Amino acid sequence: MRALKVLLMLVVVVGGLFVAADRVAVNLAEDKAAEKIRGSLGLSATPEVSIKGFPFLTQVAGRNLDEVDTELGDLKARADGRTLRVEKLKATFHDVRLSGDYSAIENAASATATATLSYPDLTQASGENVQVAYGGQKDGQGRVKISPSIPLLSSLEVTGSVTAHGDTLRLRADSIPTMCRLIPGCADKVREQTDHEWKLDQLPSHLKLDQVTAGPGGVKITATGTDVKLPG
């Protein structure tokens, strides 16, 4: 009986040491991955990285991680000198493969990401005197309201939408009001202020924007991909 107690105590001690070593290893790996991602994507702040699954060391031995969650923070989408802030991009990578020497993450079998566009940020990125706000529902879809600055038409408002195309976010007016179409050159001036594209080139390779939903609190965007190359 005494020998059995000693054996059980050894098992508990060894198990505790393994758990502690496993947690230390995963914390170090998360910190290293975060620094590499920051450098690769040119982020202003170090992202948060969380490696899921236990034990971590056995995942490393098989060169495959079940799940890696990241909070990349705010990213920048750019076009024609104007920058659109994309708030709090969060991405989850599944079935993540490590390199042969374990020094880097190679790719993920699949990934999903979410982020938000605020209306003040859309307004700022659309140019001087242009206002962008929530425009309610139309045909079951959320729309945005765009108020361009046109002489003699101070109260002009148009309904528009934000859509995703690969790694590009696109703001477009649905149509030009009749009163504007009757004025020569007015439609072109409205389009100059309402129609924009911003390229989000900080996304990991093969992760593409695929859904955009406008709501009262902002524009929610999602991205998905397969065989996604993780930065770093």
Side-chain angles (χ1 to χ4, degrees):
M1 183 63 69
R2 179 181 176 85
L4 180 58
K5 289 182 178 180
V6 171
L7 179 59
L8 289 174
M9 290 180 63
L10 287 174
V11 170
V12 171
V13 171
V14 171
L17 291 174
F18 175 79
V19 171
D22 192 79
R23 294 302 88 190
V24 169
V26 74
N27 289 337
L28 290 173
E30 290 170 347
D31 291 343
K32 184 177 181 180
E35 285 299 330
K36 285 192 172 183
I37 291 173
R38 178 182 180 180
S40 297
L41 295 183
L43 303 178
S44 59
T46 302
E48 295 182 14
V49 176
S50 177
I51 299 175
K52 303 298 184 181
F54 178 83
F56 168 69
L57 292 174
T58 58
Q59 295 184 70
V60 171
R63 296 210 303 272
N64 200 85
L65 305 179
D66 296 335
E67 179 182 315
V68 177
D69 294 343
T70 62
E71 293 189 17
L72 301 178
D74 296 348
L75 301 185
K76 304 294 185 183
R78 300 176 177 85
D80 299 329
R82 296 194 179 111
T83 299
L84 173 62
R85 185 168 70 109
V86 180
E87 294 182 339
K88 299 177 182 178
L89 180 68
K90 298 181 180 181
T92 298
F93 303 91
H94 298 280
D95 193 11
V96 178
R97 189 70 177 170
L98 300 177
S99 62
D101 60 1
Y102 307 98
S103 64
I105 293 174
E106 289 190 336
N107 67 293
S110 63
T112 58
T114 61
T116 302
L117 303 173
S118 74
Y119 295 117
D121 285 334
L122 279 167
T123 293
Q124 183 176 6
S126 295
E128 188 176 359
N129 298 324
V130 180
Q131 297 291 322
V132 182
Y134 178 56
Q137 294 281 319
K138 181 180 179 181
D139 299 328
Q141 300 292 325
R143 289 291 190 268
V144 296
K145 179 177 65 178
I146 312 172
S147 303
S149 177
I150 304 297
L152 305 179
L153 295 174
S154 58
S155 60
L156 182 64
E157 292 182 350
V158 298
T159 301
S161 60
V162 182
T163 55
H165 304 268
D167 60 358
T168 300
L169 292 164
R170 182 179 294 170
L171 175 66
R172 287 287 186 275
D174 294 336
S175 62
I176 302 298
T178 301
M179 68 177 73
C180 180
R181 294 201 301 269
L182 297 175
I183 303 174
C186 181
D188 291 338
K189 290 184 179 298
V190 169
R191 288 292 182 186
E192 287 176 4
Q193 298 184 43
T194 62
D195 294 7
H196 305 286
E197 292 185 358
W198 298 277
K199 186 177 179 61
L200 184 58
D201 54 10
Q202 291 177 299
L203 287 175
S205 177
H206 295 173
L207 189 63
K208 300 300 182 183
L209 303 171
D210 63 358
Q211 186 175 358
V212 180
T213 305
V219 179
K220 305 294 183 182
I221 61 176
T222 63
T224 59
T226 58
D227 192 25
V228 176
K229 174 67 175 178
L230 275 73

